[in-house]
Each structure stands twice: as C-alpha cells, then as structure tokens.
Amino acid sequence: MELKREIINKFIEWKKRSNRKPILLKGARQIGKTWVMEHFGKEYYKNYVKFDFDRQPELKEVFKITKQPDRIIKELSLYTDEPILPEETLIIFDEIQECEDALNSLKYFCEDAPQYHIIAAGSLLGVAVRRRHMTVPVGKVTILRMFPLSFREFIAVSDPKIYQYAEELSEIKRLPEIVLNKLNSEYKRYMICGGMPEAVVALLENRGIGEVDMILQDILDLYELDFAKYAEAREIPRIHALWHSLPAQLAKENRKFIYKVVKTGARSKDYEDALMWLEDAGMIYRVYDISKPGIPLSAYQEFNSFKVYACDCGLLRRLANLPAAAILDNVAGYTEFKGALAENVVMQSMLPFMDTTLFTYWTSTGTAEVEFVIQWDLDIIPIEVKAGNSIGGSSLSVYTKKYEPAYRVRFSSLNLQFNEGLLSVPAPLAAWFPKLYSLLSNSQS
C-alpha cells in the first residue's frame, strides 16, 4: 500500500522555482523523510542519487577536500552508477547530521551551482546541530518541516470518497449524516494508529491492533535508544523522565506542564535542556499561555507557563498504554485523558497545513481555559476542543465576553455549522481549517 504525502506538493513548487535553494528537511524520526525524498526523485526526475552519510562514512572525505560544487559532484559520481545531471537528477543527502562539511556545502551549491537539485535530511538533525554546535547555512537553504501523516493524508487512502467530499467543500453548511459518521469513524481509527507511516499501513491493511501496537512500541523503543546516542550522559535520565511524564501531564485537568510531575522537587532550570532536546528532536510541541490575545501573539507569550503535546497521537496513546478499545467504546474513567488526546489530534491535524502559525492558549486566573489561540493574518482566533458530543463549559464564553473576537471556533464530533460568530467544526475537518476559515471569512465579507 502506497501512502500519498502532501509535502510532495511543496517539493514540486520548489522544483519549479528559478531561485531554488537546497532543501533542508526537518522532522521527527520514522515519519517517512527518506521515503518521500526517494519517491519524489523517482516520480519527478529523470533519476535520483542518494548519499547516506551514516551508512557510507567514507563520503565525508569528499567534502573535506573541497568546497567547490563541481568537484564535489565529480567525486560523488564515483559512488553511484547513476549519472548526476544538472536539472535532471535529484541529489539526496541522507543523515546529513553525520557530516558537517556536507551541511556547509549546501551554501556553495546555493551560490555557485543552483542547477543541481538537492534535498538533505537527517535523523534528529536539530539535536545534532545544537549538540555539536554545527553551523547551518541560514539563508542559503529552504528549511521545510515534515510531520507525521495527517488525518487528511490518512483518509485519502482509507476512504477516498469522503476525502474528496471534504476537498470539494465550498460553503459552511451541515454535512450529510453519512459523511459525518464516516469522518468520525475514520478519525477514531486515526487516533489509534497515529501518523507514523508503518503503523498507518498496518492498520489500513487490517493486520490487527496487536501489530499496530507492536510497531508503535518499536518506534518508542527506537526513540529511547536515540536518547543514549544523541544526548549527553547527564541529560539522558531527565529526557527519559520528561518523555514518560507526558501522559500524566496531559491527564491533568488544566494540562499545564508541572515539573514536579516529572520528579518531586524538580526545577525548571534542571529540565529546560531536556525539554529543548525533545523539541529539537520533533518529539514534542510546546504551547505557551498568553497574557492577552494581542497582535502579534508572540509578544504576549508567558514563557513560564506552557503545555506539552506529543508529535503523534498514536505514539502518545501507546506511551500511555491506552488500549484501542477505550477510543472505540465509551469506557468509564476515560475522561481527562480523552480530552487531552482530542487536543493533541486537533493540533497534529492542523500543523502540517499551518506550520508557520503560532499556537498558544489562554487562561483566566485558573477559572477558564481556551485550548488554543492562533493568529490567522490579522484575526486572533480562540479555538475550543471538545471530545465527542459534549460541548459544556463556559471557558469560551468567558473569553468571548472579555475580548469580543470576530469569530470563535469549536472542534467536536458535532456537525459543521456557523451560528452567531461560532464556527462549529467536526474535529476530523481540523486538517481543512484554513479552507473552512477562508470560506467563512468570504461569506461574511
């Protein structure tokens, strides 16, 4: 089974540019970076060549002896049977974090040899750059973030008809019940497997939840090994403790990250480097509280108050040892974490299509909390996330009374509609939020 990754569209746009720079592809482990680079090379170029600096350490010598792109290409040609042709060959530098000279060479390819199309990626690239104090040729590369498979990509394969229906939405109106039911059903399946490609394929090929869980556990185990490989010895137990505290952090009613949940007596200064490590690895997202919803939102972040979400809902579910049955059925006791998982999936669904958008949240003296507040152009949009059909609570009303936003948004399993400034969106359509908000804005202008 072949999955369709929407980042390919960004690659296609990049290929067409006359002022093209080498791509530096960032993202968490096991999300399919190598596959998507190779697939792009196969489908959109005469040929592609891949150089893996982890499996072929001898390649490092090529970049030590010269900085001239033409000479580098001649040397690299000795390591492949495929010709390396300007404009016609995609050059892939994989595991580039293993060779700082290759990373620096991207600057010279940008300046002196833009006719060569290069995409570079690496495991834990952000971590390696920070740990080894490596220099990234800022301004000379196009940095793209890649994420786990989104629900939009998932349903494009699991139910193409429903995917097409969502793609063709042209107005804000109630969905047919059959469409809503299928969206909610597939969304539950997505919450179980998450967006790691191997787990997605296992679920869509009906290999059973047991195999899905085994794949997710293997990835979690690989992440644990990465702690030892890429982190300093003193940081390893702290990174491990932070990562494993994530389910407990999110199970709290207000979700705010509390250091003492990690370890009794833990202080922020002792764990800040570990948090940054997990962020650099793409394993977590930090969402900061804001003092008020002003423009720009970045100016109002409270950096000592934040929530932490996982990069993938499937990994979070497995990390928490949450059985798939809890998502599929109404299970007593599955309450706070149900809401946390709902928030995690909404954010995960939106990020690939809004990756330059700053996600924050808002609280009011501990009595009200709006799960997300984002800035979309000049609009500050409060976003409420509800698990299932229950839409009780006064937090969004408190925010609305205080700040009078033009529009507010609620994600739940209820139908699509707009009423008195509230855009109610089925959570599965979170991945289509930019389109829905544009339809709303156009209809009200």
Side-chain angles (χ1 to χ4, degrees):
M1 176 178 292
E2 186 172 289
L3 303 173
K4 299 176 182 178
R5 302 307 305 268
E6 295 198 359
I7 198 170
I8 292 287
N9 296 328
K10 293 184 179 180
F11 288 171
I12 294 171
E13 292 173 7
W14 166 79
K15 184 175 187 275
K16 294 176 181 176
R17 293 179 199 156
S18 57
N19 60 342
R20 180 188 326 99
K21 303 174 184 178
I23 285 178
L24 195 57
L25 188 62
K26 299 176 67 177
R29 288 265 259 161
Q30 299 295 303
I31 60 173
K33 295 189 295 296
T34 299
W35 180 89
V36 80
M37 291 187 295
E38 292 181 349
H39 180 77
F40 182 57
K42 289 176 186 175
E43 296 296 322
Y44 295 94
Y45 285 85
K46 184 174 182 179
N47 66 316
Y48 78 92
V49 290
K50 185 180 79 168
F51 302 101
D52 187 323
F53 293 98
D54 186 38
R55 296 189 179 193
Q56 300 168 281
E58 64 273 16
L59 291 170
K60 299 175 186 178
E61 296 301 319
V62 173
F63 295 87
K64 285 182 179 178
I65 61 176
T66 182
K67 297 184 184 298
Q68 298 177 11
D70 287 342
R71 187 174 175 188
I72 290 173
I73 293 298
K74 287 181 181 178
E75 295 287 338
L76 290 178
S77 295
L78 301 175
Y79 293 88
T80 177
D81 294 329
E82 296 286 340
I84 305 177
L85 307 172
E87 310 289 349
E88 296 183 0
T89 300
L90 177 65
I91 302 170
I92 297 171
F93 290 160
D94 208 2
E95 304 296 354
I96 197 170
Q97 81 283 350
E98 297 297 333
C99 182
E100 185 174 5
D101 290 323
L103 183 62
N104 290 333
S105 77
L106 300 181
K107 170 185 176 181
Y108 303 105
F109 277 99
C110 173
E111 294 175 341
D112 304 327
Q115 67 273 23
Y116 291 106
H117 297 205
I118 300 174
I119 302 180
S123 300
L124 303 177
L125 180 59
V127 168
V129 167
R130 183 186 296 274
R131 179 187 176 190
R132 301 171 189 170
H133 306 289
M134 297 166 67
T135 302
V136 176
V138 177
K140 303 300 180 181
V141 294
T142 296
I143 296 177
L144 288 183
R145 293 174 70 196
M146 186 173 170
F147 300 88
L149 213 76
S150 70
F151 176 69
R152 194 157 111 177
E153 293 168 312
F154 175 88
I155 201 168
V157 179
S158 70
D159 197 328
K161 287 185 178 179
I162 297 299
Y163 165 80
Q164 198 59 40
Y165 187 95
E167 283 287 286
E168 294 173 359
L169 285 172
S170 58
E171 58 182 313
I172 304 297
K173 66 176 185 180
R174 291 179 65 84
L175 306 175
E177 285 300 316
I178 188 172
V179 173
L180 181 62
N181 290 339
K182 285 190 174 183
L183 278 171
N184 285 329
S185 176
E186 290 303 305
Y187 196 59
K188 286 184 177 181
R189 295 214 299 159
Y190 176 73
M191 292 172 79
I192 289 169
C193 71
M196 293 295 167
E198 189 179 356
V200 169
V201 170
L203 183 123
L204 294 181
E205 290 183 347
N206 299 313
R207 290 192 236 147
I209 297 300
E211 182 157 349
V212 171
D213 280 350
M214 183 176 66
I215 291 168
L216 292 173
Q217 188 60 52
D218 286 346
I219 295 173
L220 290 175
D221 292 344
L222 177 63
Y223 282 5
E224 300 269 350
L225 293 174
D226 286 339
F227 298 163
K229 181 177 180 181
Y230 288 98
E232 295 181 12
R234 65 181 180 84
E235 291 295 339
I236 294 172
R238 294 173 183 174
I239 295 170
H240 182 276
L242 276 171
W243 176 241
H244 283 271
S245 79
L246 196 53
Q249 299 283 357
L250 290 172
K252 301 194 314 304
E253 189 172 354
N254 67 0
R255 322 274 195 251
K256 179 183 175 182
F257 187 90
I258 303 294
Y259 287 96
K260 69 179 182 181
V261 172
V262 181
K263 183 181 178 181
T264 302
R267 298 172 296 177
S268 60
K269 68 176 184 178
D270 296 327
Y271 284 86
E272 181 59 27
D273 286 346
L275 272 169
M276 290 180 66
W277 193 99
L278 291 170
E279 278 188 292
D280 288 339
M283 294 169 62
I284 63 169
Y285 306 122
R286 256 197 279 199
V287 178
Y288 291 96
D289 197 358
I290 51 171
S291 57
K292 71 173 188 178
I295 295 177
L297 271 180
S298 57
Y300 299 93
Q301 294 180 97
E302 301 283 344
F303 290 105
N304 63 343
S305 182
F306 57 90
K307 298 186 289 188
V308 175
Y309 294 98
C311 66
D312 180 69
C313 58
L315 291 180
L316 176 60
R317 180 187 67 81
R318 184 61 188 167
L319 185 67
N321 286 315
L322 177 68
I327 294 173
L328 296 173
D329 306 316
N330 291 321
V331 178
Y334 178 45
T335 52
E336 287 84 8
F337 196 79
K338 181 178 183 180
L341 189 61
E343 293 172 27
N344 208 111
V345 183
V346 163
M347 186 178 184
Q348 182 177 340
S349 297
M350 296 175 74
L351 272 174
F353 312 103
M354 306 174 67
D355 61 330
T356 59
T357 300
L358 177 65
F359 281 75
T360 65
Y361 73 105
W362 174 83
T363 56
S364 174
T365 60
T367 60
E369 178 180 319
V370 175
E371 282 79 17
F372 300 115
V373 180
I374 65 171
Q375 181 179 338
W376 191 250
D377 197 11
L378 293 178
D379 291 340
I380 302 296
I381 309 167
I383 298 174
E384 184 177 61
V385 179
K386 295 295 184 181
N389 296 329
S390 176
I391 56 173
S394 60
S395 293
L396 193 56
S397 297
V398 172
Y399 178 99
T400 302
K401 185 177 181 179
K402 187 175 180 67
Y403 298 110
E404 299 181 343
Y407 305 115
R408 55 203 193 279
V409 177
R410 175 188 293 139
F411 288 108
S412 68
S413 61
L414 298 178
N415 214 318
L416 178 65
Q417 61 179 325
F418 178 70
N419 185 37
E420 297 181 352
L422 175 63
L423 177 62
S424 179
V425 183
L429 292 184
W432 283 270
F433 177 78
K435 177 180 182 177
L436 293 173
Y437 197 76
S438 176
L439 290 174
L440 173 62
S441 300
N442 292 338
S443 69
Q444 299 298 307
S445 60

